[in-house]
Amino acid sequence: SSELTQDPAVSVALGQTVRITCQGDSLRNYYVSWYQQKPGQAPVLVIYGKNIRPSGIPDRFSGSSSGNTASLTITGAQAEDEADYYCNSRDSSDNLSPFGGGTKVTVL
Amino acid sequence: QVQLQQWGAGLLKPSETLSLTCAVYSGSLSGYYWSWIRQPPGRGLEWVGEVNYSGTTNYNPSLKTRVTISLDMSKKQFSLQLASVTAADTAVYYCARGTLRGVKGYDPWGQGTLVTVSS
């Protein structure tokens, strides 16, 4: 299966913790990567592999995975974290690379 | 630090062919998967397809009959062609660098090109 499922929207109070989930059968065998996208900008990679943050990504972003579900956690959410977040992985054949539908994170 | 810069026509008529090119600066093409990803206005990201360093391609099944992605190692460029476009192909198109089995995600990304299909 090549489908990745995300909740459409979540909200979090400033300074609190929010978890964004991504579900898909292929996550049992492939790593997930997570992207932050702000309006009018290209997506930015925030987590890949086994919870690895690219250079410049704050350590309040972390990733985890269990079975068919991967999670992106923002610990101590900041106003600038308000954005759309997308997960991505490979499908079971390793020939496709679908994205989840995206989760809009609102920081209250 | 690898950078991607993309260009191509931004306004097309229905039935025309979309053509975009992405140049790779300060990095090698070898060992990577060179990809195109698009985003219709107000919607999510959609993977279009990829070409790897040996020229092997994979395409989104929903576009497979119309899409061609190619790699020019000598110019350090890769290209997207999408034939017989319709209004449904209106989107921002991004080029991006990927890796085997998606282990390192897509990074970097091009700046994006808005392609509008309208008569």
Side-chain angles (χ1 to χ4, degrees):
Chain A
S1 172
S2 63
E3 196 171 295
L4 297 178
T5 301
Q6 297 182 240
D7 290 330
V10 295
S11 60
V12 58
L14 185 67
Q16 296 304 300
T17 296
V18 62
R19 176 173 294 177
I20 305 161
T21 60
C22 175
Q23 287 190 306
D25 289 341
S26 65
L27 299 184
R28 299 180 186 278
N29 300 306
Y30 293 91
Y31 285 117
V32 69
S33 52
W34 290 95
Y35 303 84
Q36 176 192 70
Q37 188 181 34
K38 297 181 180 179
Q41 298 182 17
V44 174
L45 178 67
V46 294
I47 292 287
Y48 67 91
K50 202 167 187 178
N51 189 22
I52 300 172
R53 283 177 288 105
S55 174
I57 302 301
D59 60 6
R60 63 179 178 271
F61 290 90
S62 62
S64 62
S65 186
S66 178
N68 73 336
T69 301
S71 300
L72 173 70
T73 300
I74 309 174
T75 304
Q78 301 300 302
E80 61 264 33
D81 300 333
E82 188 163 287
D84 294 325
Y85 291 83
Y86 295 90
C87 62
N88 171 263
S89 187
R90 305 293 291 187
D91 79 322
S92 55
S93 70
D94 196 25
N95 289 330
L96 306 178
S97 182
F99 285 85
T103 298
K104 182 176 183 58
V105 172
T106 300
V107 180
L108 303 172
Chain B
Q1 184 177 358
V2 177
Q3 293 186 338
L4 304 182
Q5 184 169 358
Q6 58 184 101
W7 64 89
L11 180 61
L12 297 173
K13 290 182 167 51
S15 80
E16 292 184 333
T17 295
L18 178 158
S19 182
L20 298 174
T21 299
C22 186
V24 182
Y25 296 101
S26 303
S28 171
L29 269 64
S30 297
Y32 293 100
Y33 284 62
W34 302 96
S35 307
W36 291 94
I37 296 153
R38 71 179 185 179
Q39 185 171 36
R43 299 183 63 183
L45 300 173
E46 179 182 31
W47 180 78
V48 174
E50 65 192 7
V51 58
N52 72 8
Y53 49 94
S54 64
T56 301
T57 54
N58 290 307
Y59 300 129
N60 187 320
S62 68
L63 303 170
K64 190 171 185 176
T65 60
R66 299 191 291 130
V67 68
T68 303
I69 297 175
S70 58
L71 185 67
D72 187 331
M73 299 284 282
S74 64
K75 292 184 177 180
K76 295 183 69 175
Q77 296 174 358
F78 60 107
S79 299
L80 167 68
Q81 289 198 311
L82 183 65
S84 305
V85 297
T86 69
D89 296 311
T90 293
V92 176
Y93 286 76
Y94 296 100
C95 59
R97 184 183 72 173
T99 53
L100 181 66
R101 294 177 64 86
V103 171
K104 294 187 176 181
Y106 290 105
D107 184 57
W109 294 59
Q111 77 275 22
T113 300
L114 174 60
V115 176
T116 302
V117 181
S118 174
S119 55

